[in-house]
Amino acid sequence: MPEARREEFMDCFYVIANELKEYAIKESVFIKNYLEDRHKVCYLHKCGGNDLNERGQYTDASSIPEDVECVIAIGGDGTLLHASRDIVGTGLPILGINMGTLGYLADIDVANVEDALDRLIADRFYIEDRMMLRGCVEKQDHSTVEDIALNDIVLSRRGKLRVVDFNIYVDETFLCSYRADGIIVSTPTGSTGYTLSAGGPIVSPDASLILLTALAPHTLASRTIVLPDHVKVTIEISAEEGHRDGKAELLFDGNALSTMGCGERVTISKTEQKTHLIKMDHKSFVTNLREKLR
């Protein structure tokens, strides 16, 4: 976790608030006023569940002014996940303000906002680089659809209440098949998210691994498979006789991207793009975990 070192202090900020949370909007106005009172520039952008643009994004990175040096995401982990995916091409660091309950990623509570802003202005913070995943879908019509995720990419059953048969390949070598509700492919950051609720291991976020977890598999024994970060994981909807009505929905950090049918594949791998999270102290992963899980 390298300490931030800059030739000049930050002067320009961009605030993203979850507009579905009224108190998040109020907090964004407070932050804007707080920063401007200290002769800083602050732009506001609101995001919520009903204002996706045509590319499925909450924030259009091209609309962020060029002088912005830091993004502040207000709402919770979901808001920060949206922001991280939308602005990843800008390379801007993100500070998460937690207005929710747990807050693994957005770990600055409202009570500590002023202190966090003061430290941000004074250049007393650290940046953690987090691994991300890219998924590319091969459709039956030979078209492709792709996106990136900070937490996880999930292939989950869709439609009728029935399981789906998934074939798993690693670097094009067949690994195994699952009859399950879905498959979760997670980063270490995402190990405390959906993967955790599915019985997966908790992994330190500074690791560089790919976690593969079956969701409600129809087997007496199932374990998360931990893979090195350089492999490509391919998940195929089985096209075998008797399983040809299987449908699955592909989600990136909880956002639906595509519906997949039998014979279609999604290939997932580590991307060179990273999320840059701003942290205010060197609190260890173990300490943070203990506090969050009580």
Side-chain angles (χ1 to χ4, degrees):
M1 295 182 293
E3 185 174 0
R5 298 293 184 191
R6 302 171 57 85
E7 295 181 358
E8 298 178 356
F9 294 149
M10 286 185 177
D11 289 314
C12 190
F13 303 84
Y14 190 84
V15 177
I16 300 173
N18 186 342
E19 70 174 11
L20 299 181
K21 299 179 179 180
E22 183 178 352
Y23 42 88
I25 298 176
K26 292 181 179 179
E27 189 66 22
S28 70
V29 175
F30 169 81
I31 289 175
K32 176 179 173 65
N33 292 336
Y34 191 90
L35 291 171
E36 290 180 344
D37 286 345
R38 285 149 182 81
H39 310 292
K40 304 298 180 180
V41 177
C42 185
Y43 303 96
L44 295 185
H45 172 83
K46 299 175 183 178
C47 74
N50 299 314
D51 64 344
L52 288 169
N53 66 21
E54 61 182 7
R55 290 179 296 172
Q57 297 174 312
Y58 289 87
T59 305
D60 183 357
S62 66
S63 67
I64 299 177
E66 292 184 0
D67 54 343
V68 169
E69 299 165 278
C70 173
V71 171
I72 301 174
I74 308 173
D77 284 355
T79 305
L80 193 148
L81 285 170
H82 290 314
S84 69
R85 296 171 60 231
D86 295 345
I87 71 166
V88 66
T90 68
L92 290 170
I94 306 175
L95 175 68
I97 306 296
N98 180 33
M99 306 292 289
T101 53
L102 200 55
Y104 270 103
L105 299 176
D107 57 359
I108 302 298
D109 294 326
V110 175
N112 299 316
V113 166
E114 292 185 22
D115 178 66
L117 293 176
D118 289 340
R119 296 187 64 174
L120 202 57
I121 293 171
D123 219 22
R124 293 188 291 113
F125 60 88
Y126 305 88
I127 294 179
E128 291 182 2
D129 290 338
R130 298 291 182 89
M131 168 186 166
M132 302 184 78
L133 295 173
R134 178 174 298 278
C136 182
V137 184
E138 305 168 25
K139 306 293 290 184
Q140 292 282 27
D141 61 3
H142 303 295
S143 65
T144 59
V145 183
E146 65 179 65
D147 205 342
I148 60 175
L150 172 58
N151 258 8
D152 51 44
I153 299 174
V154 179
L155 198 54
S156 179
R157 64 177 170 82
R158 176 183 175 90
K160 294 183 292 185
L161 293 177
R162 62 184 304 161
V163 295
V164 178
D165 287 87
F166 301 96
N167 299 323
I168 312 296
Y169 300 83
V170 176
D171 288 339
E172 299 301 326
T173 299
F174 176 72
L175 174 64
C176 62
S177 294
Y178 285 110
R179 176 167 292 184
D181 283 358
I183 302 293
I184 306 170
V185 183
S186 169
T187 65
T189 297
S191 70
T192 53
Y194 199 6
T195 295
L196 178 62
S197 67
I202 297 175
V203 178
S204 177
D206 60 359
S208 193
L209 302 166
I210 297 175
L211 311 177
L212 183 64
T213 305
L215 184 59
H218 279 222
T219 178
L220 293 177
S222 178
R223 295 289 185 269
T224 293
I225 299 172
V226 181
L227 298 168
D229 64 357
H230 58 78
V231 303
K232 292 184 178 181
V233 176
T234 299
I235 306 174
E236 177 187 62
I237 309 297
S238 177
E240 293 182 5
E241 193 70 35
H243 306 294
R244 293 182 178 174
D245 56 351
K247 295 267 185 200
E249 186 173 47
L250 185 65
L251 302 101
F252 288 71
D253 286 337
N255 293 327
L257 176 73
S258 176
T259 299
M260 295 175 57
C262 63
E264 293 186 333
R265 293 178 156 206
V266 57
T267 298
I268 300 167
S269 60
K270 175 185 175 182
T271 176
E272 293 304 311
Q273 295 172 302
K274 296 180 180 180
T275 292
H276 311 293
L277 292 183
I278 292 177
K279 299 294 181 178
M280 291 301 157
D281 54 48
H282 281 312
K283 184 185 296 184
S284 72
F285 169 68
V286 173
T287 299
N288 190 48
L289 188 65
R290 183 184 69 241
E291 292 176 356
K292 298 299 182 183
L293 297 182
R294 303 296 178 190

PDB file of all heavy atoms in Angstrom, residues 152-169:
ATOM      1  N   ASP A 152     -16.829  -9.280  -8.692  1.00  0.00           N
ATOM      2  CA  ASP A 152     -17.065 -10.610  -9.258  1.00  0.00           C
ATOM      3  C   ASP A 152     -17.845 -10.558 -10.556  1.00  0.00           C
ATOM      4  O   ASP A 152     -18.526  -9.576 -10.879  1.00  0.00           O
ATOM      5  CB  ASP A 152     -17.798 -11.503  -8.254  1.00  0.00           C
ATOM      6  CG  ASP A 152     -19.047 -10.850  -7.666  1.00  0.00           C
ATOM      7  OD1 ASP A 152     -19.824 -10.246  -8.412  1.00  0.00           O
ATOM      8  OD2 ASP A 152     -19.227 -10.930  -6.436  1.00  0.00           O
ATOM      9  N   ILE A 153     -17.722 -11.638 -11.304  1.00  0.00           N
ATOM     10  CA  ILE A 153     -18.538 -11.895 -12.482  1.00  0.00           C
ATOM     11  C   ILE A 153     -19.329 -13.160 -12.185  1.00  0.00           C
ATOM     12  O   ILE A 153     -18.753 -14.192 -11.836  1.00  0.00           O
ATOM     13  CB  ILE A 153     -17.664 -12.073 -13.740  1.00  0.00           C
ATOM     14  CG1 ILE A 153     -16.862 -10.793 -14.012  1.00  0.00           C
ATOM     15  CG2 ILE A 153     -18.525 -12.435 -14.949  1.00  0.00           C
ATOM     16  CD1 ILE A 153     -15.873 -10.926 -15.155  1.00  0.00           C
ATOM     17  N   VAL A 154     -20.655 -13.068 -12.301  1.00  0.00           N
ATOM     18  CA  VAL A 154     -21.525 -14.169 -11.897  1.00  0.00           C
ATOM     19  C   VAL A 154     -22.370 -14.625 -13.073  1.00  0.00           C
ATOM     20  O   VAL A 154     -22.971 -13.814 -13.784  1.00  0.00           O
ATOM     21  CB  VAL A 154     -22.457 -13.740 -10.733  1.00  0.00           C
ATOM     22  CG1 VAL A 154     -23.388 -14.886 -10.340  1.00  0.00           C
ATOM     23  CG2 VAL A 154     -21.632 -13.277  -9.535  1.00  0.00           C
ATOM     24  N   LEU A 155     -22.407 -15.926 -13.273  1.00  0.00           N
ATOM     25  CA  LEU A 155     -23.301 -16.535 -14.258  1.00  0.00           C
ATOM     26  C   LEU A 155     -24.360 -17.278 -13.464  1.00  0.00           C
ATOM     27  O   LEU A 155     -24.072 -18.263 -12.782  1.00  0.00           O
ATOM     28  CB  LEU A 155     -22.513 -17.499 -15.156  1.00  0.00           C
ATOM     29  CG  LEU A 155     -23.141 -17.907 -16.490  1.00  0.00           C
ATOM     30  CD1 LEU A 155     -23.523 -16.685 -17.304  1.00  0.00           C
ATOM     31  CD2 LEU A 155     -22.169 -18.777 -17.280  1.00  0.00           C
ATOM     32  N   SER A 156     -25.613 -16.785 -13.524  1.00  0.00           N
ATOM     33  CA  SER A 156     -26.676 -17.293 -12.656  1.00  0.00           C
ATOM     34  C   SER A 156     -27.881 -17.732 -13.471  1.00  0.00           C
ATOM     35  O   SER A 156     -28.196 -17.133 -14.514  1.00  0.00           O
ATOM     36  CB  SER A 156     -27.089 -16.191 -11.673  1.00  0.00           C
ATOM     37  OG  SER A 156     -28.136 -16.622 -10.831  1.00  0.00           O
ATOM     38  N   ARG A 157     -28.559 -18.787 -13.000  1.00  0.00           N
ATOM     39  CA  ARG A 157     -29.705 -19.313 -13.745  1.00  0.00           C
ATOM     40  C   ARG A 157     -30.764 -18.242 -13.936  1.00  0.00           C
ATOM     41  O   ARG A 157     -30.925 -17.336 -13.141  1.00  0.00           O
ATOM     42  CB  ARG A 157     -30.307 -20.512 -13.022  1.00  0.00           C
ATOM     43  CG  ARG A 157     -30.901 -20.211 -11.660  1.00  0.00           C
ATOM     44  CD  ARG A 157     -31.518 -21.488 -11.093  1.00  0.00           C
ATOM     45  NE  ARG A 157     -31.894 -21.349  -9.708  1.00  0.00           N
ATOM     46  CZ  ARG A 157     -33.015 -20.795  -9.271  1.00  0.00           C
ATOM     47  NH1 ARG A 157     -33.879 -20.306 -10.140  1.00  0.00           N
ATOM     48  NH2 ARG A 157     -33.285 -20.716  -7.975  1.00  0.00           N
ATOM     49  N   ARG A 158     -31.505 -18.368 -15.014  1.00  0.00           N
ATOM     50  CA  ARG A 158     -32.512 -17.380 -15.366  1.00  0.00           C
ATOM     51  C   ARG A 158     -33.786 -18.112 -15.773  1.00  0.00           C
ATOM     52  O   ARG A 158     -33.749 -19.160 -16.391  1.00  0.00           O
ATOM     53  CB  ARG A 158     -32.020 -16.515 -16.526  1.00  0.00           C
ATOM     54  CG  ARG A 158     -33.031 -15.502 -17.046  1.00  0.00           C
ATOM     55  CD  ARG A 158     -32.448 -14.769 -18.248  1.00  0.00           C
ATOM     56  NE  ARG A 158     -33.436 -13.880 -18.840  1.00  0.00           N
ATOM     57  CZ  ARG A 158     -33.598 -12.616 -18.485  1.00  0.00           C
ATOM     58  NH1 ARG A 158     -32.837 -12.101 -17.540  1.00  0.00           N
ATOM     59  NH2 ARG A 158     -34.511 -11.866 -19.083  1.00  0.00           N
ATOM     60  N   GLY A 159     -34.921 -17.510 -15.416  1.00  0.00           N
ATOM     61  CA  GLY A 159     -36.193 -18.097 -15.848  1.00  0.00           C
ATOM     62  C   GLY A 159     -36.719 -19.125 -14.873  1.00  0.00           C
ATOM     63  O   GLY A 159     -36.744 -18.922 -13.671  1.00  0.00           O
ATOM     64  N   LYS A 160     -37.120 -20.272 -15.412  1.00  0.00           N
ATOM     65  CA  LYS A 160     -37.743 -21.316 -14.604  1.00  0.00           C
ATOM     66  C   LYS A 160     -36.839 -21.774 -13.472  1.00  0.00           C
ATOM     67  O   LYS A 160     -35.620 -21.742 -13.581  1.00  0.00           O
ATOM     68  CB  LYS A 160     -38.111 -22.520 -15.490  1.00  0.00           C
ATOM     69  CG  LYS A 160     -39.190 -22.229 -16.509  1.00  0.00           C
ATOM     70  CD  LYS A 160     -39.561 -23.472 -17.299  1.00  0.00           C
ATOM     71  CE  LYS A 160     -38.444 -23.921 -18.205  1.00  0.00           C
ATOM     72  NZ  LYS A 160     -38.850 -25.056 -19.060  1.00  0.00           N
ATOM     73  N   LEU A 161     -37.472 -22.215 -12.380  1.00  0.00           N
ATOM     74  CA  LEU A 161     -36.702 -22.634 -11.206  1.00  0.00           C
ATOM     75  C   LEU A 161     -36.060 -23.992 -11.465  1.00  0.00           C
ATOM     76  O   LEU A 161     -36.544 -25.031 -11.032  1.00  0.00           O
ATOM     77  CB  LEU A 161     -37.616 -22.693  -9.972  1.00  0.00           C
ATOM     78  CG  LEU A 161     -38.161 -21.355  -9.499  1.00  0.00           C
ATOM     79  CD1 LEU A 161     -39.105 -21.558  -8.313  1.00  0.00           C
ATOM     80  CD2 LEU A 161     -37.012 -20.441  -9.097  1.00  0.00           C
ATOM     81  N   ARG A 162     -34.963 -23.962 -12.173  1.00  0.00           N
ATOM     82  CA  ARG A 162     -34.226 -25.182 -12.432  1.00  0.00           C
ATOM     83  C   ARG A 162     -32.750 -24.849 -12.506  1.00  0.00           C
ATOM     84  O   ARG A 162     -32.351 -23.721 -12.782  1.00  0.00           O
ATOM     85  CB  ARG A 162     -34.685 -25.844 -13.739  1.00  0.00           C
ATOM     86  CG  ARG A 162     -34.482 -25.013 -14.972  1.00  0.00           C
ATOM     87  CD  ARG A 162     -35.057 -25.727 -16.195  1.00  0.00           C
ATOM     88  NE  ARG A 162     -34.464 -27.041 -16.343  1.00  0.00           N
ATOM     89  CZ  ARG A 162     -35.018 -28.009 -17.074  1.00  0.00           C
ATOM     90  NH1 ARG A 162     -36.175 -27.805 -17.671  1.00  0.00           N
ATOM     91  NH2 ARG A 162     -34.419 -29.182 -17.184  1.00  0.00           N
ATOM     92  N   VAL A 163     -31.933 -25.843 -12.231  1.00  0.00           N
ATOM     93  CA  VAL A 163     -30.490 -25.633 -12.254  1.00  0.00           C
ATOM     94  C   VAL A 163     -29.992 -25.632 -13.688  1.00  0.00           C
ATOM     95  O   VAL A 163     -30.698 -26.042 -14.613  1.00  0.00           O
ATOM     96  CB  VAL A 163     -29.761 -26.715 -11.431  1.00  0.00           C
ATOM     97  CG1 VAL A 163     -30.126 -26.596  -9.960  1.00  0.00           C
ATOM     98  CG2 VAL A 163     -30.079 -28.099 -11.971  1.00  0.00           C
ATOM     99  N   VAL A 164     -28.759 -25.199 -13.856  1.00  0.00           N
ATOM    100  CA  VAL A 164     -28.126 -25.139 -15.171  1.00  0.00           C
ATOM    101  C   VAL A 164     -26.847 -25.963 -15.115  1.00  0.00           C
ATOM    102  O   VAL A 164     -26.174 -26.034 -14.079  1.00  0.00           O
ATOM    103  CB  VAL A 164     -27.808 -23.680 -15.560  1.00  0.00           C
ATOM    104  CG1 VAL A 164     -27.109 -23.623 -16.918  1.00  0.00           C
ATOM    105  CG2 VAL A 164     -29.080 -22.838 -15.583  1.00  0.00           C
ATOM    106  N   ASP A 165     -26.507 -26.579 -16.214  1.00  0.00           N
ATOM    107  CA  ASP A 165     -25.263 -27.339 -16.295  1.00  0.00           C
ATOM    108  C   ASP A 165     -24.164 -26.452 -16.887  1.00  0.00           C
ATOM    109  O   ASP A 165     -24.316 -25.926 -18.001  1.00  0.00           O
ATOM    110  CB  ASP A 165     -25.457 -28.591 -17.162  1.00  0.00           C
ATOM    111  CG  ASP A 165     -26.287 -29.635 -16.449  1.00  0.00           C
ATOM    112  OD1 ASP A 165     -27.526 -29.572 -16.560  1.00  0.00           O
ATOM    113  OD2 ASP A 165     -25.702 -30.492 -15.773  1.00  0.00           O
ATOM    114  N   PHE A 166     -23.098 -26.292 -16.132  1.00  0.00           N
ATOM    115  CA  PHE A 166     -21.975 -25.453 -16.535  1.00  0.00           C
ATOM    116  C   PHE A 166     -20.735 -26.314 -16.754  1.00  0.00           C
ATOM    117  O   PHE A 166     -20.418 -27.172 -15.925  1.00  0.00           O
ATOM    118  CB  PHE A 166     -21.650 -24.421 -15.456  1.00  0.00           C
ATOM    119  CG  PHE A 166     -22.786 -23.495 -15.122  1.00  0.00           C
ATOM    120  CD1 PHE A 166     -23.631 -23.765 -14.040  1.00  0.00           C
ATOM    121  CD2 PHE A 166     -23.013 -22.347 -15.859  1.00  0.00           C
ATOM    122  CE1 PHE A 166     -24.664 -22.914 -13.715  1.00  0.00           C
ATOM    123  CE2 PHE A 166     -24.046 -21.479 -15.546  1.00  0.00           C
ATOM    124  CZ  PHE A 166     -24.884 -21.762 -14.470  1.00  0.00           C
ATOM    125  N   ASN A 167     -20.031 -26.068 -17.831  1.00  0.00           N
ATOM    126  CA  ASN A 167     -18.730 -26.693 -18.074  1.00  0.00           C
ATOM    127  C   ASN A 167     -17.639 -25.646 -17.842  1.00  0.00           C
ATOM    128  O   ASN A 167     -17.731 -24.529 -18.361  1.00  0.00           O
ATOM    129  CB  ASN A 167     -18.627 -27.234 -19.506  1.00  0.00           C
ATOM    130  CG  ASN A 167     -19.663 -28.304 -19.791  1.00  0.00           C
ATOM    131  OD1 ASN A 167     -19.974 -29.115 -18.917  1.00  0.00           O
ATOM    132  ND2 ASN A 167     -20.205 -28.314 -20.995  1.00  0.00           N
ATOM    133  N   ILE A 168     -16.622 -26.006 -17.068  1.00  0.00           N
ATOM    134  CA  ILE A 168     -15.570 -25.071 -16.709  1.00  0.00           C
ATOM    135  C   ILE A 168     -14.257 -25.476 -17.379  1.00  0.00           C
ATOM    136  O   ILE A 168     -13.840 -26.639 -17.303  1.00  0.00           O
ATOM    137  CB  ILE A 168     -15.355 -25.035 -15.179  1.00  0.00           C
ATOM    138  CG1 ILE A 168     -16.691 -24.892 -14.433  1.00  0.00           C
ATOM    139  CG2 ILE A 168     -14.388 -23.910 -14.811  1.00  0.00           C
ATOM    140  CD1 ILE A 168     -17.421 -23.607 -14.696  1.00  0.00           C
ATOM    141  N   TYR A 169     -13.602 -24.514 -18.012  1.00  0.00           N
ATOM    142  CA  TYR A 169     -12.307 -24.728 -18.643  1.00  0.00           C
ATOM    143  C   TYR A 169     -11.309 -23.713 -18.077  1.00  0.00           C
ATOM    144  O   TYR A 169     -11.664 -22.559 -17.820  1.00  0.00           O
ATOM    145  CB  TYR A 169     -12.392 -24.547 -20.156  1.00  0.00           C
ATOM    146  CG  TYR A 169     -13.361 -25.489 -20.841  1.00  0.00           C
ATOM    147  CD1 TYR A 169     -14.726 -25.197 -20.878  1.00  0.00           C
ATOM    148  CD2 TYR A 169     -12.916 -26.654 -21.450  1.00  0.00           C
ATOM    149  CE1 TYR A 169     -15.621 -26.055 -21.508  1.00  0.00           C
ATOM    150  CE2 TYR A 169     -13.805 -27.521 -22.086  1.00  0.00           C
ATOM    151  CZ  TYR A 169     -15.158 -27.212 -22.111  1.00  0.00           C
ATOM    152  OH  TYR A 169     -16.043 -28.064 -22.729  1.00  0.00           O
TER     153      TYR A 169
END
